[in-house]
Amino acid sequence: MSASRYSGYVSTEQYAETLFVTMLNFFICFFGLLMNTLVMITIQKSPHFVNSYGPLSLNHSVLNMLSLLVYFLWVTPSTYTYSSQSVSTSTTTTLGKIIGQLHLLFLFSMIYSHLSLSLNRFVSLLHPTRTRSIFSHHMCIFLNISTWILGFLHVIPLFWYQDCHITYDPAMWQWVISTSKYCATYKLLVIQYLSVIVSGISFLVNLFTWVMVSAETIRKHPVEKKLLKGEFWRSLGFLVAVLMSGVLSGWVQERWQKYLVICVIWQAYHLVDGLVILLLHFHRKLLAERPILDPNHHTPSFIHVEHLHSLPHTHHSPNFHNNAHHVSK
C-alpha cells in the first residue's frame, strides 16, 4: 500500500475515471448487500440451516454485511467527494482512522469465522456422533463471540492512531497504511502472514473433509454435503482474496491494479460469498411469512432435537407431512 498523494486538481480524465470507480463500488456493494440480506433470510428460514452450521453462518453473513457497509457508506461517498471537489480529509481525521480500524476488525473476524465453519464441517461429516456435544448451542454462541474478540485483539495496535493507522485514500482508490516502522511490522506479521496462514488452514480443513468423507455419508446426508460444498468454495474465495490483497498488492504498482487487488477483490468476495449460499439453498418460497420446517431435513449437525417442539403451542399439532410440498427441493 502506498502513501496518499493529492495534487489539489482533478482533470476531466481523472474525474471520469474516479466517477467510474465510484459507480463500480456502488453497484458491487448494492448487489452484495442484497445478496447477503437474502442469505440471512435463507439461514433463518431454510431447514438446511436448522443445525449448528446455521448460527455460525449467520454470524459470517453479518460480517459480510458490515464489511460491505464500510465500502457503501464510507469508501464510495469519499471517492465521489474527491472526484467532484478534489478534496479529501479521510486520511487525516480520527474518523477515517476509526473506519479503517473497523474495516480490519470485520475482515479479521471473518478469518476466524471461516475457521469455525470449516471445523464444523469437519466434525459434522467425519465425526457426526460427536457433533451435538462439540457444537452445542452454547458453543456456537461462544465461537461467534470469539470471532469478534479475536478480530478486536488484532486491531488493538491501530488504537495508537499517530503511530499506526489504516485509512481509505480516495485519490488512489485504495486502503493505505501508515509508513512507520511499527506499522510496517504490524502489516507484515498480522495483515499478511497471519491472515494467509489462518485462511489457508480453513481451506485445507475443508479440502481434507471433502477428500475423506465417505460416499455412504454423502448418500445418507445430502444436505451436509451441500453445506460442505458451499463452505469449500467460500473458504477458497476468501483465501484468494487474502492472497491478492495481502501479497499480490505489494507486487503491482499501477493505480488500477492496486484498486482491483485491494478494494474490488473484497467487495466481489462479499458478493460471491452470499451468492454461493443462495445458489445452493435459496428458494423463493423461503420469502414466505412463515419459516419452512421439515424434520426430514435434519442433519447430523442438528443442535437440539427438541427445537421444533419449542415453537409456540397451538390447538392443533402441525402436520409436517402435509406441508412437505413447501420445502425447497
Side-chain angles (χ1 to χ4, degrees):
M1 298 182 183
S2 61
S4 59
R5 298 185 297 274
Y6 301 105
S7 62
Y9 170 76
V10 176
S11 66
T12 303
E13 182 180 355
Q14 290 173 327
Y15 174 78
E17 288 181 341
T18 309
L19 188 61
F20 174 77
V21 169
T22 301
M23 297 303 296
L24 184 60
N25 289 340
F26 176 85
F27 283 109
I28 295 177
C29 291
F30 176 81
F31 286 107
L33 289 169
L34 177 62
M35 292 292 178
N36 282 280
T37 299
L38 292 175
V39 167
M40 295 175 73
I41 294 174
T42 301
I43 292 173
Q44 292 178 315
K45 292 190 174 185
S46 172
H48 295 180
F49 292 91
V50 187
N51 49 53
S52 56
Y53 189 81
L56 298 177
S57 193
L58 183 62
N59 177 61
H60 193 81
S61 295
V62 170
L63 289 168
N64 266 331
M65 292 281 287
L66 292 173
S67 295
L68 282 169
L69 284 174
V70 169
Y71 282 96
F72 193 70
L73 299 178
W74 180 254
V75 170
T76 301
S78 298
T79 304
Y80 177 75
T81 301
Y82 178 80
S83 69
S84 60
Q85 302 178 14
S86 185
V87 295
S88 175
T89 58
S90 63
T91 57
T92 59
T93 63
T94 301
L95 176 61
K97 297 172 183 178
I98 293 175
I99 296 294
Q101 194 173 25
L102 290 174
H103 168 64
L104 285 187
L105 167 63
F106 301 146
L107 288 183
F108 283 128
S109 297
M110 290 186 74
I111 290 174
Y112 293 100
S113 175
H114 265 303
L115 184 60
S116 65
L117 289 167
S118 301
L119 292 174
N120 176 268
R121 293 298 83 213
F122 172 81
V123 175
S124 296
L125 284 162
L126 300 185
H127 304 281
T129 58
R130 304 179 60 184
T131 304
R132 292 179 186 174
S133 59
I134 296 176
F135 285 95
S136 65
H137 179 67
H138 293 295
M139 177 56 69
C140 290
I141 294 176
F142 172 77
L143 288 173
N144 284 340
I145 295 175
S146 297
T147 61
W148 287 85
I149 293 176
L150 289 170
F152 178 78
L153 292 176
H154 287 6
V155 299
I156 285 180
L158 299 178
F159 278 107
W160 283 265
Y161 299 124
Q162 298 301 319
D163 298 323
C164 188
H165 59 263
I166 182 172
T167 55
Y168 176 70
D169 184 348
M172 301 302 295
W173 313 329
Q174 62 185 271
W175 294 95
V176 297
I177 196 164
S178 57
T179 57
S180 66
K181 183 177 179 181
Y182 169 69
C183 212
T185 303
Y186 170 79
K187 175 186 175 184
L188 180 65
L189 297 180
V190 180
I191 298 181
Q192 294 183 350
Y193 288 172
L194 183 62
S195 300
V196 171
I197 291 173
V198 179
S199 300
I201 291 174
S202 299
F203 171 72
L204 290 176
V205 169
N206 285 317
L207 180 61
F208 178 79
T209 305
W210 196 324
V211 172
M212 296 302 296
V213 65
S214 65
E216 180 68 13
T217 300
I218 292 176
R219 186 185 65 82
K220 288 184 177 180
H221 308 291
V223 173
E224 293 287 353
K225 177 190 174 182
K226 268 190 173 183
L227 295 175
L228 172 62
K229 182 179 180 181
E231 182 53 31
F232 174 84
W233 291 113
R234 293 167 76 191
S235 63
L236 175 59
F238 193 85
L239 178 60
V240 170
V242 168
L243 289 171
M244 291 186 68
S245 63
V247 179
L248 185 60
S249 62
W251 296 348
V252 298
Q253 299 299 325
E254 203 271 327
R255 182 170 64 162
W256 276 101
Q257 294 174 340
K258 282 188 172 291
Y259 166 65
L260 291 174
V261 300
I262 293 177
C263 286
V264 173
I265 185 63
W266 280 115
Q267 296 176 69
Y269 161 76
H270 298 311
L271 188 156
V272 173
D273 187 84
L275 183 61
V276 169
I277 293 293
L278 295 181
L279 290 175
L280 292 174
H281 304 283
F282 179 76
H283 191 283
R284 65 181 183 278
K285 291 183 179 180
L286 291 174
L287 298 176
E289 184 175 345
R290 298 180 65 181
I292 296 173
L293 298 173
D294 185 351
N296 294 325
H297 282 270
H298 291 173
T299 63
S301 59
F302 187 58
I303 299 174
H304 293 302
V305 177
E306 68 275 11
H307 177 81
L308 293 176
H309 305 290
S310 65
L311 296 173
H313 294 288
T314 58
H315 296 294
H316 302 285
S317 299
N319 189 339
F320 292 106
H321 297 288
N322 293 337
N323 293 333
H325 66 280
H326 288 295
V327 179
S328 168
K329 302 300 182 184

